[in-house]
């Protein structure tokens, strides 16, 4: 049975131009995929943004739709271009130029999970790769495009919050370089994907909740922010990375005891971000 590409958690009524999306929290691992992999069912989850869908699940309560991928990142990476095919993994694909993501095994169909651990033995057919793109990648991105278009039509702008988590070791490395470990990293491709005023307000919401925030270091955003961030068209895309150590045991891939309190803390941030895209008359009504 084929995994559904995504699920949209829709609000009773859209009250904001903000759209939340989680492309890497999918955990519907088909049995055939696990059987084919060199990795066990636990290790293959190491690239997954585990529980991010739960952390942002309250978005519809504040009038914002929430798009969640069901297919796991190890099966297909929705934060890559459909054309980022890996010649080291897929038969019949020729290398064209140098793409560091593809070269490291992290193309649209990943060859490795975290820490460079190989997913497969040998190559897959081009037909299988194309099937994954057609049945998972294209439906998700059609849905995301439609949600942003609907927000733009209703509010005159769209603000995409692309929700992710990051390994603690990634921010620990940043701390060794700068002396300060961020808990939240906002990626706007150094201003190319969103207006600075919007990013300022998002950062302020996290800071008010007590988080340490950095921008674009060590993550500035990948395909999604590059593709959908069009500030000159009043369409903004901001990637949000959360340190996994704040809410989960990374080795066990299990929520920490304080997971619920962390989610409550994040709920207030989601409310403030949603308010950024609320229409003026709705702001007045809320007062």
């Amino acid at each position: 049975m084929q995994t559904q590409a995504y699920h949209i958690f829709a609000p009773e009524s859209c009250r904001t131009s903000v759209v939340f999306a989680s492309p890497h929290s999918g955990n519907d691992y088909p049995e055939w995929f696990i059987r084919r992999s060199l990795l066990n069912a636990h290790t293959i989850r190491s690239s997954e943004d585990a529980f991010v869908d739960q952390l942002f699940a309250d978005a519809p309560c504040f009038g914002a739709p929430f798009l969640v991928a069901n297919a796991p990142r190890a099966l297909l990476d929705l934060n890559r271009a459909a054309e980022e095919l890996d010649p080291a993994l897929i038969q019949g694909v020729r290398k064209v130029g140098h793409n560091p993501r593809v070269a490291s095994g992290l193309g649209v169909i990943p060859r490795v999970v975290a820490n460079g651990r190989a997913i497969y033995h040998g190559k897959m057919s081009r037909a299988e790769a194309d099937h994954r793109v057609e049945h998972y990648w294209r439906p998700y991105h059609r849905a995301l495009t439609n949600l942003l278009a609907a927000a733009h039509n209703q509010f005159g702008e769209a603000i995409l919050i692309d929700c992710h988590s990051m390994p603690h070791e990634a921010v620990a490395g940043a701390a060794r370089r700068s002396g300060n470990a961020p808990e939240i990293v906002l990626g706007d491709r150094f201003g190319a994907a969103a207006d600075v005023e919007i990013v300022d307000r998002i950062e302020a919401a996290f800071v008010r909740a007590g988080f340490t925030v950095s921008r674009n270091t060590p993550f500035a955003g990948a395909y999604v922010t590059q593709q959908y961030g069009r500030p000159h068209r009043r369409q903004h895309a901001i990637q949000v990375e959360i340190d996994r150590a704040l809410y989960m045991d990374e080795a066990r891939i299990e929520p920490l005891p304080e997971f619920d309190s962390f989610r409550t803390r994040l709920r207030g941030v989601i409310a403030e971000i949603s308010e950024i895209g609320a229409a003026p008359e709705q702001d007045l009504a809320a007062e």
Side-chain angles (χ1 to χ4, degrees):
M1 185 175 179
Q2 179 159 308
T3 300
Q4 290 293 109
Y6 64 87
H7 186 85
I8 297 173
F9 296 91
E12 291 185 6
S13 64
C14 285
R15 305 191 302 273
T16 176
S17 64
V18 177
V19 174
F20 292 85
S22 176
H24 287 163
S25 59
N27 60 4
D28 192 347
Y29 290 83
E31 289 186 14
W32 62 263
F33 179 56
I34 299 296
R35 287 196 304 268
R36 181 168 177 190
S37 173
L38 295 169
L39 306 173
N40 61 40
H42 180 82
T43 306
I44 205 167
R45 295 186 64 192
S46 58
S47 293
E48 179 188 315
D49 284 351
F51 314 116
V52 165
D53 54 338
Q54 296 179 37
L55 291 178
F56 286 89
D58 288 331
C61 299
F62 303 105
F66 184 29
L67 173 65
V68 178
N70 292 330
R73 183 183 187 183
L75 182 71
L76 180 129
D77 193 335
L78 295 162
N79 201 19
R80 299 287 182 265
E83 297 76 26
E84 291 186 89
L85 297 171
D86 186 350
L89 175 64
I90 302 164
Q91 296 171 359
V93 173
R94 292 191 297 178
K95 182 178 179 180
V96 180
H98 177 68
N99 182 315
R101 293 190 294 264
V102 172
S104 63
L106 297 173
V108 66
I109 299 177
R111 175 165 34 96
V112 301
V113 293
N115 299 316
R117 290 168 289 193
I119 299 172
Y120 310 96
H121 176 72
K123 290 190 173 186
M124 73 173 62
S125 68
R126 177 64 185 265
E128 179 180 344
D130 289 343
H131 180 274
R132 294 192 195 184
V133 170
E134 288 298 322
H135 287 81
Y136 300 112
W137 193 96
R138 296 197 190 284
Y140 178 90
H141 282 280
R142 277 196 297 268
L144 181 54
T145 298
N146 291 340
L147 287 171
L148 293 172
H152 205 286
N153 289 338
Q154 183 175 354
F155 299 97
E157 69 171 6
I159 302 170
L160 171 61
I161 306 298
D162 199 43
C163 308
H164 296 261
S165 66
M166 53 188 175
H168 181 71
E169 64 182 3
V171 289
R176 287 192 292 271
R177 292 188 295 273
S178 67
N180 190 25
E183 296 172 312
I184 306 292
V185 177
L186 303 179
D188 64 356
R189 298 190 66 83
F190 299 94
D195 278 353
V196 66
E197 291 182 7
I198 290 174
V199 185
D200 285 346
R201 292 180 68 181
I202 293 170
E203 179 174 352
F206 279 106
V207 170
R208 275 191 291 272
F211 291 103
T212 302
V213 183
S214 73
R215 294 195 195 181
N216 298 305
T217 302
F219 304 105
Y223 173 79
V224 168
T225 46
Q226 182 178 18
Q227 177 68 18
Y228 295 99
R230 298 287 185 269
H232 62 287
R233 299 179 189 171
R234 301 198 69 193
Q235 180 168 294
H236 313 274
I238 302 93
Q239 179 176 282
V240 175
E241 296 272 4
I242 303 175
D243 182 358
R244 293 174 186 167
L246 296 174
Y247 63 88
M248 67 177 279
D249 182 318
E250 293 185 76
R252 295 177 177 271
I253 315 181
E254 294 177 352
L256 293 174
E258 54 268 33
F259 181 87
D260 288 340
S261 61
F262 181 84
R263 180 180 164 181
T264 299
R265 181 182 176 195
L266 196 60
R267 177 183 169 92
V269 178
I270 295 167
E272 287 197 46
I273 292 174
S274 299
E275 197 65 27
I276 294 171
E281 60 270 21
Q282 291 170 317
D283 289 339
L284 291 172
E287 294 173 2

